[in-house]
Amino acid sequence: MKVNYQQTAKRVFDIEAQALTHLKTLLDDDFNKSIDAILSTRGRVVICGMGKSGLIGKKIMATLASTGTPCFFMHPGEAFHGDLGMVSPEDIFLALSNSGETEEVIKLLPFLKDNNNIVIAMTGRPNSTLAENAHFHLNIAVPQEACPHQLAPTASTTATLAMGDALAVALMEAREFQPQDFARFHPGGSLGRKLLSRVKHEMKTENLPKVSANASAQEVIHTMTEGRLGLCIVNEGEGIITDGDLRRQMEQDFSGLAAKTAQDLMSHGPKLISPNARLSEAEILMSDNKITSLLVGEMGNIQGVIQIYDLK
């Protein structure tokens, strides 16, 4: 009989969802104190973990770094063989260990104490060696792992990741971190491009398809075809005619199309945007109005056209 693996997946989802719900009950004032410590330090956040905790720690590090918290990941084995030289007294040390007894991490505690580092421990055992020797403890205990043998870290790594996300978001809100700040750290991505680039950098300006209000339907079609934008600009922004407008007119009165002028076919008051607006603003305006093109400039002086395809 064929096994329905979807049932296994649903069971895993349920266990991990319950773990996150349980996580809310474990939060205490140490979370607030951890945030305050990170906000007040002049140093960085050093994230350290072994095995699966280390892999999750790298993701937490990446999230913190991209949202305005200077940090780096340190492998505990490498730390014990010289990399501790990168840790300054001003740094906050975020140590990850579900058991709180990971030998490679515990061995770093004497140095951190002597170096006057604030230590934040993220463990599933409040009475563990790591938790008891940290300044602040973030409890990530879970009722059970999703692993049927309770061996492979599953729900516990999800809880660790969620606690790291909670730290990052709380720090973002405390710093009033804005989309443009995020874009500064992602200049090469599509998000950074939309948030940092201006409409004038991407708008089409050559051979704009413009017609007068008394232009014939034939002239409108010819100009639209030549412009290759799927639209015509009427009287420098007084109106706009799209290929959709033409199709609808053909369906309603195909024989009467030849007698129409641009004035008859156009939609009044097209959406305009400034050439200095950000691409993200253009995207929002098009999305809110369910359109694919914006005229750039002001009525009487249309400088270009920006389309949704230019933002991809």
Side-chain angles (χ1 to χ4, degrees), residues 113-268:
K113 183 175 181 180
D114 184 65
N115 204 42
N116 293 318
N117 293 107
I118 291 177
V119 177
I120 302 172
M122 199 181 290
T123 84
R125 295 177 55 200
N127 297 322
S128 64
T129 302
L130 181 57
E132 291 186 340
N133 284 275
H135 294 82
F136 310 117
H137 177 241
L138 303 178
N139 195 340
I140 53 167
V142 297
Q144 62 176 319
E145 297 285 7
C147 168
H149 306 298
Q150 299 302 297
L151 296 174
T154 45
S156 59
T157 48
T158 299
T160 307
L161 182 60
M163 185 65 77
D165 287 342
L167 284 174
V169 173
L171 289 165
M172 288 176 67
E173 292 181 353
R175 293 191 173 104
E176 298 182 351
F177 195 82
Q178 299 300 313
Q180 55 267 31
D181 299 315
F182 188 86
R184 289 179 57 236
F185 301 128
H186 299 76
S190 60
L191 177 61
R193 173 174 166 268
K194 291 177 186 177
L195 290 169
L196 296 178
S197 297
R198 305 286 177 175
V199 168
K200 62 185 177 184
H201 299 141
E202 299 293 337
M203 69 182 186
K204 296 177 176 66
T205 59
E206 296 183 5
N207 193 31
L208 293 180
K210 296 182 179 181
V211 296
S212 63
N214 60 4
S216 66
Q218 183 178 1
E219 185 180 349
V220 168
I221 294 172
H222 175 75
T223 303
M224 187 181 296
T225 302
E226 290 291 312
R228 298 184 178 182
L229 296 178
L231 57 83
C232 266
I233 304 164
V234 183
N235 277 6
E236 286 292 331
E238 179 183 343
I240 188 172
I241 305 170
T242 67
D243 54 3
D245 293 328
L246 287 178
R247 286 196 301 273
R248 284 186 287 273
Q249 177 62 37
M250 290 177 183
E251 289 176 351
Q252 293 171 8
D253 183 16
F254 182 79
S255 60
L257 178 62
K260 302 288 185 180
T261 65
Q263 179 77 37
D264 302 322
L265 298 169
M266 74 181 189
S267 299
H268 293 267

Side-chain angles (χ1 to χ4, degrees), residues 105-117:
V105 177
I106 298 300
K107 288 165 63 176
L108 305 179
L109 291 173
F111 169 85
L112 297 171
K113 183 175 181 180
D114 184 65
N115 204 42
N116 293 318
N117 293 107

